[in-house]
Amino acid sequence: MPLIFLNGGAMRGGPLHHLLDGAPLVAETTTAARYRFYSVGDQCPALQPVAHGGTEVHGEVYDVPMDVLRDRLLPAEPPELELGVVELADGTSSLAMVLRRPYTSYARLTDITEHGSWGEYRKTKEAA
């Protein structure tokens, strides 16, 4: 089964976690420091690979059956994201949802790279 790195609503405790249909958590980890991190219209996070100026982004890796990925998880993703492959902190690769290239949506992108985590960004936003 493919491994997928999740960093938003499908993580444990998130509103979309049920879409994983019980897929096992493999690791709590970060990406390699090669990504900018964005809030897409304050609805979901997005990773964007960069050559310089990236950071590690916190998330969870799950072992998801292909039919769950095809039928449940991917259809729930917003059109601003696409399936890609990211590098994790340990140098391994994983599927992940990344910012669609080229970005053609009208949803506002907010750079939240400094937070390194969707949860931390949401906490800061709620406190403001």
Side-chain angles (χ1 to χ4, degrees):
M1 291 186 279
L3 298 179
I4 187 164
F5 176 82
L6 301 172
N7 61 344
M11 292 173 59
R12 289 175 291 173
L16 302 177
H17 186 72
H18 69 280
L19 296 175
L20 296 177
D21 203 27
L25 174 68
V26 173
E28 186 172 334
T29 189
T30 62
T31 64
R34 299 182 52 206
Y35 301 91
R36 298 300 293 175
F37 196 41
Y38 294 94
S39 169
V40 180
D42 271 343
Q43 299 300 307
C44 68
L47 293 168
Q48 181 180 42
V50 293
H52 304 288
T55 193
E56 295 178 342
V57 175
H58 173 47
E60 299 170 344
V61 176
Y62 287 86
D63 191 4
V64 180
M66 282 294 243
D67 59 334
V68 171
L69 185 64
R70 179 194 65 217
D71 297 336
R72 297 182 57 119
L73 196 56
L74 291 180
E77 293 292 346
E80 293 85 6
L81 302 180
E82 64 185 4
L83 190 61
V85 178
V86 297
E87 181 182 352
L88 300 178
D90 66 3
T92 61
S93 297
S94 175
L95 294 175
M97 298 309 295
V98 297
L99 191 62
R100 186 172 297 279
R101 294 173 280 183
Y103 187 71
T104 58
S105 175
Y106 293 106
R108 182 178 53 112
L109 291 180
T110 303
D111 190 329
I112 60 171
T113 303
E114 67 185 39
H115 297 281
S117 154
W118 182 243
E120 289 302 313
Y121 168 70
R122 301 298 296 167
K123 285 180 197 173
T124 301
K125 188 151 179 58
E126 289 170 8

